[in-house]
Amino acid sequence: MASPSMPLRSFINGKRVRPSPQHLYSLYDAATGTVREKVQSATPGQIRDGVIAASESQERWARDYSPSDRSKVLLRAARILERRAGEVALAETGDTGRTVRETRHEAAGAADCLEYQAGAALTVGGQHVDLSGNRSWGYTRREPIGTTVGIGAWNYPLQSAVWKSAPALAFGNSMVFKPSELTPTTALILADAYSEAGLPDGVFNVILGDGSAGASLVSHEKVDKVSFTGSVETGSKVYTAAAESLKRVTLELGGKSPLIIFDDANIHDAVSTAMVANWLSSGQVCSNGTRVFVHESVLEKFLESLVKRTSRLKIGDPTEEATDLGPMISRGHMEKVMKYIQIGKEEDQADLLCGGEPILQETGGYYLSPAIFSNCNDNMRIVQDEIFGMVMSVLSFRDEGEVVQRANNTAYGLAAGVFTNDLKRAHRVVADLNVATTWINNYNLAPVVLPWGGFKKSGQGSENGLVGVESWTRLKAVYVEMGAIDCPYP
Ligand code: NAD
């Protein structure tokens, strides 16, 4: 991809900031290792400008635009993103290295979220409560929180930006969004879409930069709420910094999720699911089911099919239609994943059945072959740590009680999958799993109509679904007296 003359720049108060030869850094093409774009990080002054723009525009957005007006802006933005779906896919593939076969659905997914929140803006309100016959009653007003900050991770950049901004804006908040420094492009496309859809200047701003920009946003006194997606380590810093000024916080963090395959499962479907739960986005998905527990009686059959099908996958240029798996996001991340593969090879009795090698090195890209370890035990580091790459650990089990206890034996509580044809067992097991999202006979689907969050170290609060509205609104109670005042004093 040819380098454009202009660097990518922050979007503040309805326009890109002026280009400057300072504060530039490079984005690398994960498929070739070459520089493909320059990005201009926001200066401290621009970060302040972004927050001020959001703060000054918020009241008007909440007061002068009715829920119906705000809803229409979101619906128009949805149509604009759909129109730009091809460009969104290439931008997302360019930034992340994810295949176009995946990223071509990104704009449609964003449009779904915008439509859902546009509907929620019109329908979700407060509650009426009778207090004393018809003499007094109360009601609740659902109000915007105010100026919000969204901070995104690099694996699903547009999804992060939309999942945060659509409900924030729908309910009358403003937002400053900071995408990951590795994946800034589609947040800027979203900003353009909102503007073209009629969003007033300042209501949605994009600040480009690294963790220091994120930290400045989190600590800014005019920010009322922070919604963060990223690692547990950074999430903990964000939580601590936000606590200093008692800001509201939502955290969507990492995981090490179990996928449990019982002996009655259809093995072909179970293998398909294990592949989706591990190889999607080259393994760079927070909810991936990387601890695959397989009942001992079907283990051999499962592994044979899994290795055969995984070895057939076409790894290569993510912009090519036939490619199944693209590169890792960056050289640094590829090296981290390779370290874990080495640890896995050295640990205990585990067997590396296939993959785990750097490949296609002649391209300069960050390519790894997907690794399957069998014979793993619960205490191995590759089984306990979030690796965020294509490293699947297969563990065998004998009975239901045992596997549930072992599945829950982790600091994380993001997601889990259960594969069985026994309905009662499926529901019993998901009820016992200490995680926020579960799938029965499928994996890694995240429709915006269902809440998304994390238990234990995987997060705080929920976004999406109707309950996600709680994350973007505050409730005011109103007491209304219609009768005489009952006064205890003469
Ligand atoms: P990360 O924590 O390194 O960075 C996330 C974001 O935080 C980036 O935008 C980064 O610039 C910013 N940041 C860094 N330091 C900061 C600070 N001190 N204050 C404020 N912001 C700061 O995570 P990553 O490597 O970009 O993403 C991978 C992680 O994200 C994985 O752990 C993955 O599981 C998780 N993730 C979770 C979800 C979810 O929904 N639960 C979704 C996607 C990714």
Side-chain angles (χ1 to χ4, degrees):
M1 196 183 289
S3 259
S5 48
M6 283 287 191
L8 294 176
R9 286 161 288 136
S10 300
F11 180 91
I12 297 171
N13 212 8
K15 53 183 183 301
R16 301 281 195 282
V17 300
R18 282 217 306 270
S20 147
Q22 290 170 321
H23 310 288
L24 292 182
Y25 70 92
S26 301
L27 290 182
Y28 292 86
D29 184 347
T32 60
T34 54
V35 174
R36 59 179 193 90
E37 196 110 52
K38 292 279 181 192
V39 183
Q40 186 178 314
S41 293
T43 62
Q46 288 166 344
I47 294 171
R48 277 195 298 277
D49 289 348
V51 177
I52 298 297
S55 164
E56 289 181 350
S57 60
Q58 188 268 324
E59 203 174 301
R60 191 174 150 246
W61 173 240
R63 278 189 186 205
D64 297 356
Y65 287 70
S66 66
S68 162
D69 296 335
R70 298 198 294 265
S71 171
K72 282 179 186 138
V73 170
L74 298 195
L75 291 174
R76 284 195 292 268
R79 299 291 81 78
I80 293 164
L81 286 180
E82 283 171 342
R83 194 185 74 217
R84 296 179 68 175
E87 185 191 344
V88 165
L90 284 179
E92 199 89 332
T93 291
D95 277 4
T96 63
R98 288 167 57 215
T99 64
V100 282
R101 283 217 329 248
E102 281 187 29
T103 59
R104 77 154 56 101
H105 304 292
E106 231 41 44
D112 277 352
C113 173
L114 287 159
E115 284 168 5
Y116 180 77
Q117 301 298 355
L122 290 176
T123 48
V124 181
Q127 188 190 11
H128 169 98
V129 185
D130 268 333
L131 293 171
S132 168
N134 54 11
R135 272 203 313 115
S136 63
W137 46 280
Y139 65 96
T140 56
R141 282 173 51 83
R142 198 168 278 287
E143 299 181 345
I145 296 169
T147 304
T148 68
V149 157
I151 298 177
W154 48 256
N155 56 338
Y156 285 85
L158 181 63
Q159 185 191 74
S160 241
V162 171
W163 278 14
K164 294 179 192 310
S165 63
L169 305 185
F171 290 95
N173 303 282
S174 60
M175 175 167 277
V176 181
F177 184 78
K178 193 201 85 63
S180 162
E181 54 274 36
L182 297 177
T183 55
T185 315
T186 46
L188 293 168
I189 295 178
L190 178 64
D192 289 340
Y194 280 138
S195 278
E196 191 185 332
L199 188 74
D201 291 351
V203 178
F204 183 72
N205 308 274
V206 178
I207 289 293
L208 303 185
D210 62 13
S212 62
S216 304
L217 290 171
V218 172
S219 60
H220 198 291
E221 59 180 11
K222 288 205 177 295
V223 171
D224 302 301
K225 191 236 153 88
V226 177
S227 169
F228 172 84
T229 298
S231 62
V232 171
E233 194 188 358
T234 314
S236 165
K237 287 184 198 159
V238 168
Y239 207 23
T240 306
E244 292 266 320
S245 46
L246 297 172
K247 293 179 171 65
R248 292 176 187 231
V249 180
T250 319
L251 301 172
E252 308 284 359
L253 308 178
K256 187 75 185 179
S257 301
L259 168 62
I260 304 172
I261 293 159
F262 283 97
D263 49 356
D264 63 339
N266 174 310
I267 294 299
H268 181 82
D269 287 351
V271 169
S272 302
T273 300
M275 290 170 74
V276 168
N278 278 270
W279 311 150
L280 197 68
S281 303
S282 297
Q284 302 162 125
V285 184
C286 54
S287 52
N288 265 359
T290 46
R291 293 184 294 142
V292 181
F293 292 92
V294 185
H295 191 271
E296 60 183 9
S297 67
V298 291
L299 181 65
E300 205 179 313
K301 202 169 153 199
F302 174 86
L303 284 175
E304 192 190 327
S305 167
L306 175 69
V307 170
K308 198 157 138 200
R309 289 176 62 188
T310 297
S311 312
R312 284 203 299 250
L313 295 177
K314 185 173 173 347
I315 305 168
D317 184 344
T319 61
E320 279 180 15
E321 190 57 41
T323 299
D324 295 309
L325 302 175
M328 309 304 292
I329 177 104
S330 66
R331 182 167 300 286
H333 190 58
M334 180 175 86
E335 285 166 1
K336 177 192 153 188
V337 176
M338 281 167 60
K339 263 192 206 142
Y340 269 105
I341 291 165
Q342 191 53 37
I343 290 170
K345 283 181 186 171
E346 289 164 7
E347 270 184 318
D348 295 344
Q349 80 282 10
D351 299 321
L352 178 59
L353 298 184
C354 67
E357 300 287 336
I359 54 168
L360 301 171
Q361 285 172 295
E362 66 286 2
T363 62
Y366 318 133
Y367 291 102
L368 278 180
S369 53
I372 302 171
F373 282 96
S374 69
N375 250 338
C376 298
N377 72 49
D378 297 348
N379 300 322
M380 291 170 63
R381 278 189 67 197
I382 58 165
V383 177
Q384 284 295 325
D385 295 0
E386 183 185 44
I387 302 174
F388 218 52
M390 292 184 285
V391 183
M392 184 196 300
S393 298
V394 181
L395 307 108
S396 75
F397 72 93
R398 198 163 280 175
D399 68 61
E400 185 184 309
E402 167 214 339
V403 76
V404 168
Q405 182 268 324
R406 289 171 62 197
N408 284 334
N409 177 24
T410 164
Y412 297 105
L414 190 60
V418 178
F419 236 81
T420 176
N421 283 318
D422 180 340
L423 258 182
K424 288 182 187 165
R425 174 157 65 189
H427 293 288
R428 198 167 54 228
V429 170
V430 294
D432 284 343
L433 288 169
N434 200 355
V435 303
T437 293
T438 55
W439 293 277
I440 296 173
N441 295 336
N442 212 328
Y443 208 89
N444 265 343
L445 300 170
V448 70
V449 296
L450 285 173
W452 183 258
F455 294 171
K456 293 155 80 180
K457 284 198 172 169
S458 292
Q460 283 291 329
S462 281
E463 291 178 348
N464 295 349
L466 283 184
V467 72
V469 172
E470 304 290 341
S471 290
W472 298 103
T473 53
R474 59 183 193 183
L475 272 184
K476 180 178 283 173
V478 183
Y479 183 102
V480 182
E481 183 58 68
M482 308 273 281
I485 306 295
D486 185 10
C487 179
Y489 308 115

